[in-house]
Amino acid sequence: MKLFYYDQHPVSLPPNHRFPIEKYRLLRESLLAEGLAERHELLPGPAATTDQLRLAHADDYLTRLAEGQLTAAEIRRIGLPWSPQLVQRVRHTVGSTIAAARAALTDGVAVSLGGGTHHACSDHGEGYCLYNDTAVAARVLRSENKVRRVVVIDCDVHQGNGTAEITRSDNTIYTFSIHAEKNFPYRKIPSNLDLGLADGTGDAEYLPLLEIALERVLAQATADFAFYLAGADPHVNDKLGRLALTADGLAQRDRLVLDACRTAGLPVAVTMAGGYGRDIQETVGLYRQTVNITAEFANQSSASASTAMERSN
């Protein structure tokens, strides 16, 4: 399994900024410390090209973002101070998701140690998202004729408004979002299927609803590739979450999604999506859990493929 990272492109944020940008570096370091990254390929993600970004974003927005011409209101909407370093980094965010998608086509599953920037719309950024990595990567695969239809399974606690906006007239990309209904964004753009949950929803209610929804989503999507936006922010201790899943509940969620995709025969690109725990190490631990579960899934898939090949011989 290949793991793609982009934290080697540092960005400085103001002291006490609420976006925990160090979580990506800490995740990579923790995977190296426990030996998981050494057993898999840990690769730097490339920068997305302008032509690739144009597949999901308006030229005017791309130019003004690259050249630092956004208005103060547009920058406030994004929530991150503009800098050339930030623009460079988020190009690598998108490139890492594209690379993970291409690797998943070959290996069955691959991971970006970040990504899931689902609030970025075609002509603006918001909610800490400048480019929509999922929409760009899906369009790249389509433009290269590597996939026919894509399904986006978004389990971040916030509704995937940007992905829905970019793809709403594109019947080759099916979007599903399960999220806290009263949470950001407050003006939601409908996905193909949205499942908005009440504040405080925990494991016992969330997991059966997700299982039922996945059956419907995969039947309707008729896809041949999946993007899974995992998200640590449905966790009970997340500052921006409003749901109440436990770490075990998030682990069961990951297994439900990955098992459903495997049953449907879909390669999967996994991104970390949101995570704003009161303790950054707890967020990193939840991300690491998702990566570990995905690695188990990859190993099981490889073992099954080897057994099938031995039987055929």
Side-chain angles (χ1 to χ4, degrees):
M1 185 177 78
K2 293 182 175 64
L3 310 168
F4 295 90
Y5 67 95
Y6 51 87
D7 64 88
Q8 73 276 27
H9 301 281
V11 173
S12 296
L13 296 180
N16 301 317
H17 194 282
R18 72 191 307 189
F19 186 77
I21 198 167
E22 290 301 311
K23 62 185 178 178
Y24 305 113
R25 175 183 58 80
L26 294 171
L27 172 60
R28 178 174 56 83
E29 291 175 351
S30 70
L31 292 170
L32 285 168
E34 73 172 26
L36 177 73
E38 292 181 357
R39 298 194 297 274
H40 297 275
E41 287 192 69
L42 182 63
L43 302 167
T49 67
T50 300
D51 283 344
Q52 289 172 335
L53 296 172
R54 283 191 183 115
L55 294 173
H57 294 288
D59 279 343
D60 176 68
Y61 172 62
L62 293 176
T63 299
R64 291 189 303 110
L65 176 58
E67 297 180 1
Q69 296 175 354
L70 298 183
T71 66
E74 287 175 309
I75 293 172
R76 283 195 302 271
R77 191 173 192 177
I78 290 170
L80 298 169
W82 184 92
S83 68
Q85 293 78 17
L86 177 64
V87 174
Q88 175 70 1
R89 180 182 173 111
V90 294
R91 279 181 174 263
H92 286 269
T93 302
V94 180
S96 294
T97 300
I98 294 170
R102 287 172 170 162
L105 285 169
T106 301
D107 301 337
V109 65
V111 175
S112 169
L113 301 181
T117 51
H118 60 167
H119 298 311
C121 293
S122 57
D123 61 357
H124 68 270
E126 63 179 78
Y128 308 138
C129 303
L130 286 78
Y131 304 126
N132 193 305
D133 63 317
T134 305
V136 173
R139 292 266 174 83
V140 167
L141 294 188
R142 286 277 301 128
S143 69
E144 295 172 346
N145 294 316
K146 292 181 177 177
V147 299
R148 181 181 54 87
R149 284 177 57 84
V150 167
V151 61
V152 177
I153 301 171
D154 189 342
C155 294
D156 185 292
V157 80
H158 306 101
Q159 195 255 357
N161 60 321
T163 315
E165 183 266 333
I166 291 169
T167 66
R168 60 186 166 190
S169 299
D170 185 346
N171 63 12
T172 69
I173 301 175
Y174 185 104
T175 54
F176 164 60
S177 178
I178 178 171
H179 51 266
E181 181 62 26
K182 293 182 179 179
N183 210 332
F184 179 90
Y186 304 110
R187 186 180 75 84
K188 295 174 172 60
I189 299 172
S191 310
N192 291 104
L193 179 64
D194 284 301
L195 185 52
L197 305 176
D199 286 7
T201 298
D203 300 351
E205 185 178 1
Y206 181 102
L207 293 168
L209 290 172
L210 174 62
E211 186 170 15
I212 293 168
L214 285 171
E215 183 176 353
R216 177 180 172 187
V217 166
L218 294 177
Q220 292 181 346
T222 61
D224 47 14
F225 191 91
F227 288 91
Y228 173 38
L229 284 65
D233 47 7
H235 189 257
V236 62
N237 290 335
D238 196 271
K239 290 184 290 188
L240 304 183
R242 303 183 73 150
L243 297 186
L245 272 68
T246 65
D248 183 63
L250 289 172
Q252 293 183 61
R253 175 206 66 178
D254 292 342
R255 292 190 175 98
L256 276 175
V257 173
L258 292 170
D259 285 343
C261 290
R262 175 165 52 195
T263 299
L266 303 183
V268 188
V270 181
T271 58
M272 296 299 98
Y276 311 92
R278 290 173 174 81
D279 179 353
I280 193 171
Q281 291 295 345
E282 185 170 49
T283 297
V284 170
L286 294 171
Y287 281 161
R288 186 172 63 247
Q289 175 176 265
T290 292
V291 177
N292 280 321
I293 289 169
T294 307
E296 293 170 8
F297 168 81
N299 291 337
Q300 291 166 2
S301 298
S302 296
S304 297
S306 297
T307 300
M309 187 174 296
E310 289 171 4
R311 287 173 178 170
S312 66
N313 292 333

